Amino acid sequence: MILERAIKQTLRGSIPAPLRRAVRNNLPRREQLAEARLFWERQSLALVGQRRPRARGRILCYHSTGQLEFGVNDVHPARFRRHIELSLKAGYRFVRASEIAQTGGGPKDLAISFDDGLKSVSTVAAPILREYGIPYAIFAVSDWSDMKHPWYIDRALDWREMELLLEDGAEVGSHSVSHPDFSRIDYQRAVDELCISREVIRQRLGFAPDAFAIPFGQSRNWPAACAQSAREAGYRIVYAQAEDTRPEDTVARTFVTKHDNDHIFKALLAGHYDRWEEWF
Ligand SMILES: [Zn+2]
């Protein structure tokens, strides 16, 4: 944003309007600047981030594996498999996310979760995980899986696909009705997002989930009042983001991005990103 503002200020008044418009239209969009910053942060923290001893398990958070439209949140299938192989080689054991949430797990315990309930979990990630006998959790956005949002048709899992993954042993939780930023919605809307998504999952899959993953998941996306609302809605576990910054009474997860090569992934397992939050 600072770069964008500086360029705009430099241009103002000194260049003819048509040329100014042409330059402005080619300025990097906010998303591109955000992605550049994320790339830089991932790289630099791998080098200078803090390695820290760990007493408990770690839950990884992925989104898609092979759906490029999800940008930084899309991990290439080969890279996803590589993360599993690196983890196993380093002596980690994969357990259920709920096990780490409930017991803390041991320092060599890892769990895999997927936010947003996207198609490639079924077509790409689940077959790989099945090969290795690794459990996983999925957090569904009920309107997206209900195909009420046109852009997510063919991009999100429908309930039948979700049901097959459930039969395959996946844990399924809620990720809200429409993926809002809970810091920007009023109290009643927050209650509805929590309660209605849980009820829709109950109707579609036959059970009411006891776990909720906060949309966006950053500390600022979860106002204090939401914790109480989530408990009243029937959730026992609320998954967030980074270990050090997560809101009280939430379970930490470590977000994994498309940039996470071997070097970054090893740093991630060593705790270099335990204060880092993806901020899109
Ligand atoms: Zn999400």
Side-chain angles (χ1 to χ4, degrees):
M1 288 308 280
I2 292 168
L3 172 65
E4 198 173 342
R5 207 177 306 130
I7 296 170
K8 278 180 183 164
Q9 279 167 0
T10 308
L11 292 177
R12 201 168 294 140
S14 58
I15 295 178
L19 182 56
R20 204 160 60 227
R21 264 197 304 278
V23 173
R24 191 188 303 128
N25 291 340
N26 285 304
L27 278 176
R29 288 183 301 131
R30 185 182 174 279
E31 293 76 18
Q32 289 167 314
L33 290 171
E35 182 165 352
R37 179 172 158 187
L38 183 141
F39 173 78
W40 171 249
E41 287 176 350
R42 297 305 277 181
Q43 302 292 334
S44 54
L45 279 173
L47 291 171
V48 300
Q50 203 181 357
R51 200 183 174 83
R52 28 170 74 205
R54 191 166 177 85
R56 45 187 293 141
R58 182 183 298 281
I59 303 169
L60 305 175
C61 177
Y62 289 88
H63 288 77
S64 62
T65 48
Q67 289 178 268
L68 291 175
E69 62 272 35
F70 291 100
V72 294
N73 285 328
D74 183 58
V75 174
H76 189 280
R79 182 159 275 178
F80 179 69
R81 182 187 286 277
R82 180 78 184 146
H83 290 168
I84 289 164
E85 287 172 352
L86 283 172
S87 306
L88 293 171
K89 204 171 157 199
Y92 286 93
R93 176 179 83 113
F94 283 96
V95 300
R96 287 172 171 269
S98 59
E99 185 181 326
I100 294 179
Q102 284 160 3
T103 70
K108 282 288 188 181
D109 286 347
L110 271 184
I112 290 186
S113 65
F114 298 94
D115 277 5
D116 299 353
L118 301 176
K119 210 77 160 177
S120 54
V121 175
S122 160
T123 55
V124 176
I128 294 173
L129 293 166
R130 209 172 295 131
E131 265 182 57
Y132 293 89
I134 293 174
Y136 55 97
I138 308 168
F139 296 98
V141 178
S142 61
D143 265 5
W144 298 355
S145 288
D146 262 348
M147 301 301 148
K148 287 182 179 166
H149 191 307
W151 195 79
Y152 282 93
I153 295 172
D154 294 330
R155 291 189 167 102
L157 293 161
D158 62 33
W159 295 112
R160 177 64 192 138
E161 291 162 324
M162 199 82 79
E163 196 173 22
L164 290 172
L165 295 179
L166 195 62
E167 286 167 10
D168 194 36
E171 299 185 292
V172 176
S174 167
H175 196 36
S176 77
V177 173
S178 63
H179 208 285
D181 175 349
F182 274 69
S183 68
R184 290 169 181 257
I185 58 177
D186 64 27
Y187 173 77
Q188 190 51 51
R189 167 97 190 272
V191 169
D192 289 348
E193 290 278 343
L194 290 159
C195 294
I196 293 173
S197 60
R198 189 166 186 263
E199 174 57 18
V200 170
I201 292 174
R202 191 188 67 74
Q203 287 173 11
R204 306 287 188 263
L205 299 178
F207 77 101
D210 66 357
F212 182 81
I214 304 168
F216 306 103
Q218 297 175 338
S219 40
R220 66 178 172 80
N221 300 128
W222 193 242
C226 292
Q228 176 72 16
S229 306
R231 267 194 303 275
E232 287 170 5
Y235 297 106
R236 291 189 305 123
I237 305 170
V238 175
Y239 293 99
Q241 278 208 42
E243 189 76 49
D244 294 356
T245 56
R246 69 195 158 85
E248 211 176 325
D249 294 330
T250 59
V251 177
R253 290 186 300 164
T254 306
F255 274 44
V256 186
T257 77
K258 79 167 180 185
H259 299 303
D260 298 357
N261 57 21
D262 288 13
H263 182 55
I264 292 177
F265 189 74
K266 284 178 188 169
L268 175 157
L269 293 179
H272 287 214
Y273 301 91
D274 286 356
R275 291 196 65 79
W276 184 88
E277 293 188 335
E278 183 179 312
W279 54 280
F280 278 85

